[in-house]
Amino acid sequence: MDEDGTGRRNDGGNEGPTNFSSLPEGVIANTLSLTTPFDACRTSVVSRAFHAAAQSDIVWDRFLPNDLDDFISRRKPSGLNFDPIKSSKKDIFFSLCNSPLLIDDGKKSFSLDKQSGKKCIMLGARDLSIVWDDTSVYWAWESHPESRFGEVVVILKVWWLEIRGRISSGMLSPATTYAAYVVFKMRERRYFGFNIDPVDAIVGIVGSEHSMKTVCLDPYLDDTHQRRRRVTRAGSNLPMNNMSRLEEPRERHDGWFETELGEFHNDGGDDEVEIILKEVRCNDSKNSLVVQGIEIRPKINPV
């Protein structure tokens, strides 16, 4: 296909070239709206005709969720980075991708996945159920300059770790496979507990089968000192040669770490999704874990 949007048939026909630039812009825009945001951006470089159509509100309005007005109504005051009336649909879409919207008294955030346009929700620490989080000897609530939420929760010293989150599947995009991620940091480089024992993670629709796995919340796996502690730990949940099979943390673009806890398929409706993170068998205390929240976002295959 050339710069003017002209391509030749490859089916053996003799009709000659097909000039896409001769199609009405609305026809091309309607076609692009049936793809994905990623595909619309990619095809916009094919020709001038596709580039013009890919800027159309027809395309980007289709990529915005039907219940966007509901999410906007649940936002914190002055929490919008766009004008719902004056901004183009494309600008609104990318604003929601790049700047999550705080909703429900600032306890959750709502954003869109840039590749698919699917809805993403993060449950902030204040929206989670955490055992003994109101006991100042064990946990502390603090502001954090790098958190999207007003508060994060920090482990001071606990033996029993149990964090639970719930969300209605109706807040998410239907017919979509989602994964849940705990988003965290370590307050100090020298910490205890998470470099010794793995943590159990359970994710699924309430009343149906849940996915279960063992995960790692040690973001510094290459630290020689931390590895020595694993080797010398007696009676840990897993032998050292199995530690590499754990779901390990990775660093996010925003500087936080995340560990995938499990996945589920959202068929639609208003089922409750439950996410559990716990470690209750350890005799060692844990400290320094800073929890921003649990993010639920679509499981997208890399491109």
Side-chain angles (χ1 to χ4, degrees):
M1 190 173 289
D2 64 18
E3 179 62 22
D4 293 325
T6 302
R8 293 187 176 277
R9 292 173 57 95
N10 294 319
D11 59 3
N14 298 315
E15 287 93 340
T18 300
N19 193 340
F20 287 97
S21 63
S22 65
L23 294 174
E25 181 179 307
V27 172
I28 300 176
N30 271 311
T31 301
L32 291 178
S33 73
L34 300 175
T35 62
T36 67
F38 177 80
D39 290 331
C41 290
R42 184 169 57 178
T43 55
S44 69
V45 303
V46 168
S47 69
R48 286 190 291 268
F50 274 78
H51 179 78
Q55 313 307 309
S56 169
D57 276 358
I58 295 174
V59 175
W60 295 95
D61 188 53
R62 188 76 65 89
F63 296 150
L64 292 172
N66 295 331
D67 55 355
L68 178 58
D69 288 343
D70 176 59
F71 283 102
I72 291 176
S73 70
R74 295 161 63 176
R75 77 187 188 280
K76 293 186 69 176
S78 305
L80 282 182
N81 292 319
F82 57 87
D83 186 322
I85 298 176
K86 297 181 180 179
S87 298
S88 71
K89 300 298 184 181
K90 184 177 181 180
D91 286 344
I92 292 174
F93 177 87
F94 281 104
S95 177
L96 291 170
C97 292
N98 299 322
S99 301
L101 191 65
L102 293 180
I103 61 173
D104 296 349
D105 298 320
K107 294 181 180 180
K108 297 184 183 74
S109 73
F110 160 74
S111 60
L112 297 178
D113 177 73
K114 190 176 295 185
Q115 182 178 329
S116 65
K118 303 284 189 177
K119 292 183 281 188
C120 308
I121 302 291
M122 185 186 284
L123 309 177
R126 279 293 186 189
D127 208 40
L128 303 174
S129 175
I130 304 173
V131 173
W132 294 314
D133 66 337
D134 58 349
T135 305
S136 60
V137 175
Y138 303 131
W139 296 83
W141 290 94
E142 300 177 356
S143 61
H144 195 293
E146 298 174 0
S147 172
R148 68 182 63 174
F149 301 104
E151 288 181 297
V152 298
V153 66
V154 184
I155 291 181
L156 301 179
K157 190 174 186 178
V158 302
W159 285 262
W160 184 293
L161 174 68
E162 185 170 342
I163 300 174
R164 294 174 179 263
R166 282 202 175 196
I167 183 174
S168 169
S169 62
M171 292 186 67
L172 305 171
S173 299
T176 303
T177 298
Y178 276 89
Y181 304 80
V182 60
V183 181
F184 66 98
K185 282 180 179 283
M186 288 295 176
R187 174 185 270 180
E188 301 173 7
R189 187 59 179 253
R190 290 180 61 86
Y191 49 87
F192 301 97
F194 299 104
N195 54 341
I196 298 174
D197 289 291
V199 182
D200 295 327
I202 305 169
V203 177
I205 304 292
V206 174
S208 64
E209 186 176 351
H210 286 41
S211 71
M212 303 179 65
K213 62 164 62 174
T214 306
V215 303
C216 175
L217 297 184
D218 180 359
Y220 303 114
L221 294 173
D222 295 329
D223 187 295
T224 304
H225 173 70
Q226 307 290 16
R227 284 191 178 277
R228 280 201 302 270
R229 287 183 59 80
R230 282 204 196 96
V231 172
T232 59
R233 168 72 165 96
S236 61
N237 295 339
L238 288 177
M240 182 61 189
N241 59 5
N242 283 338
M243 294 301 284
S244 61
R245 301 177 190 176
L246 295 176
E247 188 75 48
E248 298 180 358
R250 69 176 187 86
E251 189 167 6
R252 295 159 51 99
H253 65 85
D254 57 8
W256 291 78
F257 292 94
E258 68 178 22
T259 299
E260 182 180 323
L261 304 180
E263 62 182 64
F264 63 95
H265 187 75
N266 182 30
D267 292 319
D270 292 310
D271 295 320
E272 283 283 304
V273 180
E274 184 174 45
I275 303 134
I276 303 171
L277 185 67
K278 66 179 181 178
E279 203 293 288
V280 299
R281 300 181 299 269
C282 179
N283 293 321
D284 296 278
S285 64
K286 307 167 183 62
N287 69 350
S288 291
L289 182 72
V290 182
V291 179
Q292 181 178 184
I294 293 177
E295 186 169 46
I296 301 102
R297 63 176 189 262
K299 189 90 176 202
I300 302 297
N301 295 323
V303 295

